[in-house]
Amino acid sequence: MRYALVSDIHGNLEALRAVLARLEPGDGLLCLGDVVGYGPQPNECVAAIRERASVCVLGNHDVAAVDGYGLKYFNPNAREAMAYTRRVIAPESLAWLDGLAYEHREPRYLLVHGAPVDYFTYILDNPAAERALERTDAPLIFVGHSHIAEYYERVPGRENLVHKHMQHGGTLQLTEGARYVINVGSVGQPRDLNPEASFAFYDEAKSTVTWERVPYAIAAVQAKMEEAGLPDALVARLNEGR
Ligand code: ZN
């Protein structure tokens, strides 16, 4: 089975559609959370993920949309965007988000938004990746949250983790016995200096993870954001990928 893994869509329907267009009909779709927040079309993104994905775990923006939890940790722009999200989000979108779990485990992999156990912790360096690997026995941990496409690899017998950025795409051949933290990057608001939408394929049979970047109509999303009255800084950052 080949799975596409998406994260941090953030109400950006153009980016999500461009990514979904890369999937073959037989591909599975797994979502790592933050379907809403920041962007102009939370309901449309919820509907698209709900229809196509077999699993979606909760992100911090999804939780904030449902019950306001964690809003005090949001910066002013994120908070303002969340106020918009909560104004326009439909009851059925909220009910679906409210039914999501914080994690999903399969024998080979774990899906969490930020990190195992501490679901909204950022994995931004080797020590954080080490802690994540200690907190689960899953060989693969798939995450989003930081909006940075990258991976950490623990090879048995080797002292340090291998850490690689994948912001221009590329394939990782998984090694039997090694363990990984895999960040698939962000569909709707990349922050690794590449403005193209990020996602990854996990091919179980080939034991590979392939990151892809997908161009989409950024200007069209920005026009919708301006119309929605979303903060200028959130509009501008989509061009820069930061
Ligand atoms: Zn996010």
Side-chain angles (χ1 to χ4, degrees):
M1 185 80 181
R2 188 174 79 150
Y3 295 96
L5 289 115
V6 297
S7 192
D8 298 280
I9 296 140
H10 286 301
N12 184 337
L13 186 65
E14 277 74 9
L16 179 58
R17 281 198 177 136
V19 164
L20 293 181
R22 291 278 176 100
L23 274 62
E24 303 288 338
D27 290 333
L29 178 65
L30 307 172
C31 174
L32 295 159
D34 276 4
V35 180
V36 306
Y38 292 126
Q41 293 182 280
N43 293 309
E44 292 81 353
C45 290
V46 164
I49 290 295
R50 188 178 179 174
E51 184 192 317
R52 184 67 173 82
S54 54
V55 180
C56 183
V57 295
L58 269 170
N60 52 315
H61 287 254
D62 305 321
V63 177
V66 169
D67 62 10
Y69 176 81
L71 264 178
K72 62 177 180 224
Y73 304 113
F74 280 41
N75 67 47
N77 286 331
R79 206 176 304 142
E80 197 179 325
M82 186 46 65
Y84 163 81
T85 298
R86 298 187 78 185
R87 264 200 315 278
V88 302
I89 199 155
E92 60 266 30
S93 301
L94 281 180
W96 181 78
L97 289 171
D98 199 25
L100 301 180
Y102 284 98
E103 63 171 70
H104 178 82
R105 177 68 197 263
E106 296 285 338
R108 290 271 304 153
Y109 61 84
L110 176 71
L111 310 180
V112 285
H113 184 61
V117 185
D118 286 330
Y119 298 115
F120 302 148
T121 291
Y122 290 92
I123 299 175
L124 296 169
D125 53 23
N126 282 20
E130 289 278 11
R131 277 196 297 280
L133 289 164
E134 280 162 18
R135 287 178 160 194
T136 174
D137 60 1
L140 299 170
I141 307 168
F142 288 107
V143 301
H145 198 34
S146 68
H147 301 204
I148 292 168
E150 62 184 351
Y151 72 84
Y152 300 85
E153 177 185 39
R154 158 144 309 296
V155 178
R158 196 151 67 197
E159 174 100 15
N160 295 313
L161 294 184
V162 175
H163 174 212
K164 275 209 174 108
H165 286 280
M166 300 300 277
Q167 75 271 38
H168 301 297
T171 296
L172 165 66
Q173 180 67 55
L174 303 170
T175 306
E176 193 59 43
R179 297 179 63 214
Y180 300 87
V181 174
I182 289 165
N183 195 317
V184 304
S186 168
V187 170
Q189 194 201 74
R191 295 178 193 161
D192 48 16
L193 303 180
N194 180 348
E196 295 183 346
S198 181
F199 78 107
F201 283 114
Y202 168 45
D203 191 317
E204 281 184 312
K206 292 184 185 155
S207 269
T208 55
V209 176
T210 301
W211 284 258
E212 293 206 8
R213 300 303 280 234
V214 189
Y216 71 95
I218 292 177
V221 185
Q222 290 173 317
K224 289 178 188 174
M225 291 176 81
E226 274 162 6
E227 200 176 321
L230 287 160
D232 292 340
L234 296 182
V235 176
R237 71 189 299 177
L238 293 182
N239 286 327
E240 295 153 23
R242 53 180 283 175

